[in-house]
Amino acid sequence: MTDRTVRPGVMPLPGDTAQASSSRKGLALTLIALAQMMVVLDVSVVNVALPSIQGALGFSASNLEWVVNAYALTFGGLLLLGGRIADKYGQRRTFMAGAALLTVSSLLGGLAQDQAWLLSARAAQGVSGALIAPAALALLTSTFAEGAERNKAMGVYGAVSGIGGALGNVLGGVFTDELSWRWVLFINVPIGAFVLAAATRAFRESRPAGGRLDLPGALSVTAGMSLVVYGLINAASHSWGSTGTVVPLAVGGALLIAFLLIEARSASPLLPLRIFRNGNRSSAYAIMLAVGSALIVLFYFLTLYIQIVLRFSPLKTGFAFLTFAVGAAVFATLSSAVVARVGPRLLLSVGTLVSAGGMFWLSRIDADSAYFGSLFGPLLIAGSGIGLCFVPLTLAAVAGIRGEETGISSALLNASQQVGGALGLAVLGTVAATATRHRMEKLLPGSGGAGSKSSGPVPPQVQHAVNDSLAHGYSIGFLIAGFVLIGAAVIAATVIRVSSEDAARTDVAV
């Protein structure tokens, strides 16, 4: 028998190298998928637990949005900086630092005893996501060869991105109902520990690049977006002319203008503004903003509607979203398989239109709707449409871009989704709250638009009026989200110009 042991000074046989390489790549793809799953889950896994979190820590209806937005804003606002950190200090090192921070912040979040504690932990989770996401995409690029191998890995990555949101709702329901809302945060601890332990075996460290970190740019864009979102959320409980609304909006807007000035004058900008000169990339970012806003509105509003109006348990609520996950998974896989033949424009146009149809259907909900009659179909349709979008969006964002800017382009695409989600929830949450308050004042004159909470038993007719008002507010939110997706479909159909030939040649892994 041939001695196949690799000894010092002896070259390994070709079979040994191929087997080792295949094993390492399999582990690398597993870790990238797990890391991306953690990042995506953290956006949605808390959704089903929101009513339980609200009851346990005493959040108001408007402040509850910050459990979602504290993560989305730090994630989206710092993603570009995370990409620069990965370039400057090494992709594997950045990936592992992000995984370590996510593990620790998830543990601390699960132990939270008050609102500030939980929101701080959620913000730290967002910072960790901003480190993990661009580093994971860069590691995927450096680990898998361009062509069929990398496209297959991208298919897995795209499927994880597509189903992660819905899977988060399912897992959130299971943990909240069977254990505690705290376990929707604890879930990352064992996964993060495994990713950390295996990362050094799966990935080689990249060569650090030069350049400075644009901290002023990162701080100004993150603070600016946070203040704008705060002002929009404040308008839901106060007025558009109140100090708590006007001042944050004005200061936030000024900081965002300052960010653009900083980037225009910086020698090493966080966001090279020339990226937006390409119509395909600018359109991809705009479409992702729309998709991100629609996704967060769907998960956030439907979670509250299903639990408060339909009276589902957290477990049952989680599984109610499984329909969305199935549609997203199936069509994300299909999208990855056909995008090189049909090009991204067709898939994006169809995907956003289909998702808009799901949103319009959801806008018909009321206090007496049933799951299979009013939710099952639109969830399947919306999930299928969203699943069609992720891979062609990535391809449109990086088609024809210079190699040194692929990382920043993909990071900006991720940032667009998170910022779109935060803005969408802030704007449509305010619209929904206003519509709910007006409906309540109409149905129960003199109630002052009071919420559904009461110190004593609520008469059935009053409870029905409350449920009707909530459903009305959510339905207005879904209707507007549908029109936002129609706008995205128009952009996809009229501006995207990546042909099927370009798609077949383009490196879609970044």
Side-chain angles (χ1 to χ4, degrees):
M1 181 178 294
T2 304
D3 181 7
R4 299 176 65 86
T5 303
V6 179
R7 295 183 295 273
V10 179
M11 291 294 294
L13 296 175
D16 295 318
T17 303
Q19 185 175 12
S21 177
S22 176
S23 176
R24 185 179 69 85
K25 289 181 178 180
L27 178 60
L29 184 57
T30 299
L31 296 186
I32 290 170
L34 284 174
Q36 178 66 7
M37 181 65 73
M38 286 195 296
V39 169
V40 176
L41 281 179
D42 277 337
V43 180
S44 64
V45 72
V46 300
N47 283 339
V48 176
L50 286 173
S52 299
I53 293 173
Q54 183 178 24
L57 300 182
F59 280 93
S60 67
S62 57
N63 285 343
L64 190 63
E65 292 183 19
W66 283 104
V67 178
V68 176
N69 280 337
Y71 178 88
L73 285 171
T74 51
F75 185 7
L78 297 175
L79 256 174
L80 300 178
L81 181 63
R84 291 298 193 205
I85 290 173
D87 291 339
K88 184 173 178 61
Y89 296 106
Q91 297 162 3
R92 186 179 71 179
R93 188 176 292 113
T94 302
F95 179 83
M96 294 179 68
L101 178 59
L102 183 58
T103 303
V104 173
S105 58
S106 298
L107 176 62
L108 293 176
L111 297 173
Q113 300 300 309
D114 56 46
Q115 296 179 26
W117 185 340
L118 178 60
L119 295 182
S120 297
R122 288 288 288 165
Q125 284 185 315
V127 174
S128 66
L131 295 173
I132 291 172
L137 277 171
L139 286 169
L140 188 152
T141 303
S142 60
T143 302
F144 296 93
E146 183 177 354
E149 180 181 81
R150 191 178 292 174
N151 291 349
K152 182 178 179 181
M154 182 60 191
V156 173
Y157 182 89
V160 168
S161 299
I163 69 174
L167 182 60
N169 283 278
V170 174
L171 293 177
V174 172
F175 289 128
T176 302
D177 215 41
E178 298 299 321
L179 297 169
S180 162
W181 64 266
R182 299 180 182 278
W183 283 90
V184 304
L185 298 164
F186 289 151
I187 183 177
N188 280 331
V189 177
I191 300 175
F194 171 73
V195 170
L196 278 172
T200 54
R201 293 181 54 196
F203 305 114
R204 299 186 180 96
E205 186 55 276
S206 61
R207 180 178 299 174
R212 296 187 306 169
L213 295 178
D214 183 11
L215 292 178
L219 293 176
S220 60
V221 70
T222 305
M225 286 303 308
S226 299
L227 286 170
V228 168
V229 169
Y230 177 84
L232 292 171
I233 291 175
N234 187 77
S237 55
H238 297 77
S239 69
W240 286 98
S242 68
T243 301
T245 300
V246 173
V247 172
L249 288 176
V251 176
L255 285 173
L256 292 178
I257 293 173
F259 167 71
L260 294 177
L261 294 175
I262 290 170
E263 299 311 287
R265 299 177 180 180
S266 175
S268 300
L270 187 67
L271 175 59
L273 298 182
R274 62 179 176 273
I275 283 181
F276 295 104
R277 295 173 186 167
N278 181 280
N280 289 319
R281 285 193 288 279
S282 296
S283 299
Y285 302 144
I287 294 169
M288 185 58 94
L289 277 170
V291 169
S293 64
L295 268 177
I296 196 66
V297 164
L298 185 148
F299 289 135
Y300 187 87
F301 285 175
L302 266 193
T303 296
L304 297 178
Y305 172 78
I306 291 172
Q307 291 195 54
I308 296 173
V309 178
L310 299 188
R311 313 297 294 179
F312 281 25
S313 68
L315 179 63
K316 195 174 179 181
T317 300
F319 279 99
F321 285 96
L322 194 59
T323 306
F324 183 98
V326 170
V330 170
F331 282 87
T333 304
L334 175 64
S335 175
S336 177
V338 305
V339 68
R341 293 199 295 271
V342 304
R345 179 169 60 178
L346 177 62
L347 291 176
L348 287 174
S349 301
V350 172
T352 47
L353 281 176
V354 169
S355 298
M359 289 294 182
F360 289 139
W361 191 349
L362 284 173
S363 72
R364 298 174 61 84
I365 61 172
D366 57 34
D368 300 311
S369 295
Y371 176 75
F372 282 103
S374 301
L375 302 184
F376 181 89
L379 278 172
L380 181 62
I381 290 173
S384 301
I386 293 297
L388 283 175
C389 292
F390 281 106
V391 170
L393 272 175
T394 303
L395 190 150
V398 302
I401 199 168
R402 296 187 301 185
E404 66 271 19
E405 292 181 346
T406 53
I408 200 71
S409 181
S410 59
L412 187 56
L413 188 67
N414 272 320
S416 298
Q417 181 180 353
Q418 300 306 321
V419 171
L423 287 175
L425 184 55
V427 173
L428 295 185
T430 298
V431 170
T434 302
T436 294
R437 183 171 62 252
H438 290 166
R439 175 61 69 95
M440 182 79 77
E441 292 170 349
K442 179 180 179 180
L443 296 177
L444 298 174
S447 67
S452 59
K453 291 185 178 181
S454 174
S455 57
V458 180
Q461 64 273 23
V462 174
Q463 186 61 60
H464 189 274
V466 170
N467 290 346
D468 180 86
S469 300
L470 289 171
H472 174 68
Y474 300 148
S475 70
I476 296 298
F478 291 135
L479 182 65
I480 296 174
F483 282 114
V484 169
L485 287 171
I486 290 291
V490 172
I491 293 174
T494 59
V495 183
I496 297 292
R497 285 294 182 269
V498 181
S499 67
S500 57
E501 291 79 10
D502 293 333
R505 293 192 299 267
T506 298
D507 174 8
V508 299
V510 293

